[in-house]
Structures are given as C-alpha cells and as structure tokens.
Amino acid sequence: MAATATVTALPARAQTLPPIEAMLAERALGRADAPVTVIEYFSLTCVHCAAFHRETLPRVKSDLIDSGKVRLVQNDFPLDQPGLLGSMIARALPPDRHAAFIDMLFRTQAQWARQGFVDEIAKIAALAGMSRETFDAAMRNEALQRGVLEIRLRGEQQHQVNATPTFIFNNRVPGVSGAIPFDRFAREAGVSA
C-alpha cells in the first residue's frame, strides 16, 4: 500500500499582488555565500524536471544546500501555457511559499498539466494560501507574464539553454541537461557530499 501525504491548506494571505520587482526577484535555495552556485532552468510541465525534483533534489538539499556547499537558483523556462501559468502563480506567492509550491506542482504534474490546467493550478494555489481573486489577478498580470518569459529568454541567450532541466554550474556554459542523478550533480558542482 502506497504512503499518502497529508496536505493542509494554508490560510489565504492579502488579496493584492506583490510589486512586480518582488515577484520577479531571484528564487534560490541555500546561502547567498555558498562557494558553488548552480542555476537550474526548469519547466513545470517537463517530466524530466519533475523526475529531478522528486528523485534528486531532496538529496541535493540535504547534502549540499543545507550544508552550505551549494546555492541553487531556480529559473523558469516554461515550455507551454500550463508551465507558464504555474511559474507565474509560483512567483505571485510569498517567497517563503515558492519552493513548496514548485515541489507540489512537480509531484502532481500528471493531474494538472493537461486540459483544464487553470482550475487545477488554482486548487493547488489555494492550498498554498492564495485566494481565487489573487490567482486571477496574477494570471492576468501582463508584466508578470512578460517577466517570466524574459527569464527564459535570458537563459537561452546567456546560458545557451535549449532543454529542460538544464543546470549551469558556476556559470560554466554550456550547462548540463537532463534529470541528472545526485552523484553527477555533486561531481559537476565540484563538491563532495
């Protein structure tokens, strides 16, 4: 019998969107002064990105990020409309809810990344404490949409990203693409667990 996770909805927060600068600010896991910075480009509808987040990222967090060896910058690289909307909503949430929301979207990708994705993402956002009113405002926010697409464009131009996930280790271009296992991630980062 498979284990099931219990999800408790967080209380809804303020009904207004944060300023655009706050929504488009860098999202990262780990200390700003970590000796190694890895930039990840992901699409929320990419099955390889979901595999990395489910299978490899937990150990990267526990062994490399939490120990202060690595900082992981998470950049959006949406491949389609559902992925774009998921990225926009993740950025409209308070920064302390971003990583958990991304994790939930990857864990439930098969349920929401298809027809009817707007209502499915709205349900997951409600669990993260976002009201439907705020969700709708974020979904219609053209500056937010443009900003997420500009993050993707910078990835293409600055880091030669053409697949997801792609990892840029200490600004080494080209990056490494695919749902790489922990040992390869650590080796590319030049750190030991």
Side-chain angles (χ1 to χ4, degrees):
M1 186 166 161
T4 58
T6 303
V7 177
T8 303
L10 295 171
R13 288 200 177 169
Q15 300 299 308
T16 58
L17 291 175
I20 191 67
E21 299 81 21
M23 290 190 290
L24 295 174
E26 182 177 89
R27 299 292 192 260
L29 304 172
R31 296 187 349 221
D33 65 346
V36 175
T37 297
V38 179
I39 302 171
E40 174 194 18
Y41 288 93
F42 66 87
S43 174
L44 290 166
T45 55
C46 167
V47 295
H48 304 291
C49 297
F52 173 81
H53 276 254
R54 281 190 322 268
E55 298 163 15
T56 305
L57 186 57
R59 186 163 175 210
V60 168
K61 281 182 183 176
S62 66
D63 292 6
L64 305 178
I65 295 172
D66 294 346
S67 66
K69 296 175 184 175
V70 169
R71 180 169 190 254
L72 181 66
V73 177
Q74 297 181 307
N75 280 340
D76 307 293
F77 200 89
L79 298 175
D80 51 27
Q81 284 301 117
L84 175 59
L85 179 61
S87 290
M88 291 171 62
I89 299 306
R91 288 186 167 276
L93 284 164
D96 64 337
R97 295 186 183 175
H98 181 266
F101 184 72
I102 294 294
D103 182 63
M104 179 62 76
L105 288 179
F106 277 131
R107 290 185 183 284
T108 61
Q109 186 183 72
Q111 286 77 46
W112 67 264
R114 55 177 162 46
Q115 203 168 19
F117 65 90
V118 172
D119 288 334
E120 293 302 316
I121 295 173
K123 289 176 191 173
I124 298 168
L127 291 173
M130 182 180 278
S131 71
R132 184 61 193 236
E133 179 184 8
T134 304
F135 176 91
D136 290 342
M139 184 173 63
R140 291 188 307 266
N141 190 301
E142 291 179 13
L144 178 57
Q145 179 180 8
R146 193 169 40 255
V148 169
L149 293 173
E150 286 172 1
I151 292 169
R152 177 193 161 119
L153 182 61
R154 279 194 307 271
E156 291 173 349
Q157 294 173 342
Q158 294 175 2
H159 293 127
Q160 302 172 11
V161 176
N162 61 13
T164 58
T166 292
F167 303 93
I168 308 299
F169 294 90
N170 276 335
N171 285 316
R172 258 190 348 257
V173 175
V176 177
S177 296
I180 60 177
F182 175 80
D183 292 339
R184 177 145 187 224
F185 188 99
R187 187 173 63 247
E188 294 287 345
V191 297
S192 58

